[in-house]
Amino acid sequence: QVQLVESGGGSVQPGGSLRLSCEVPSHVMDSWIIGWFRQAPGKEREGVVCTSDSDRKTTYGDFVKGRFTISRGDRKNTMDLHMVDLTPEDTGVYICAASLGPYPCGLQAKTYDSWGQGAQVTVAS
């Protein structure tokens, strides 16, 4: 397991934007799968996106519909999740995760070895 630390998040009105950042050990950035998941109260953990520099493949959850983008952050060893056009249904705790495989990456939580503490995202009027 590796240590992952999220930052960002907060409250925003519907239609707004937020950026989450996950601080990742350098060796993880270069070779592991990194994903973002979310969990709303009373609901199961849901995969948002996963990506890997090893095979240069990225997979988004169907509900994303082009609104979210994962990319390397401006700060060294960070992986950011940029979210736009947020809706109340996007409310939840967003959690960064890392996995050694399998490749290509998938959005099943059981395949991830390490998890961050989560960052709250609230979308409300």
Side-chain angles (χ1 to χ4, degrees), residues 44-115:
E44 294 187 355
R45 190 165 293 187
E46 178 178 40
V48 177
V49 59
C50 65
T51 191
S52 172
D53 277 1
S54 297
D55 61 1
R56 298 183 181 275
K57 291 186 178 179
T58 300
T59 298
Y60 290 92
D62 291 341
F63 63 88
V64 170
K65 297 180 180 178
R67 301 179 299 129
F68 299 175
T69 304
I70 190 170
S71 65
R72 282 182 176 256
D74 294 333
R75 294 186 295 125
K76 188 177 180 180
N77 295 332
T78 58
M79 187 67 77
D80 289 357
L81 179 65
H82 301 261
M83 304 182 290
V84 301
D85 195 20
L86 288 163
T87 71
E89 289 70 34
D90 294 315
T91 294
V93 177
Y94 283 68
I95 311 160
C96 181
S99 171
L100 286 168
Y103 291 81
C105 71
L107 298 177
Q108 291 185 314
K110 65 181 180 181
T111 64
Y112 288 77
D113 312 291
S114 301
W115 297 86

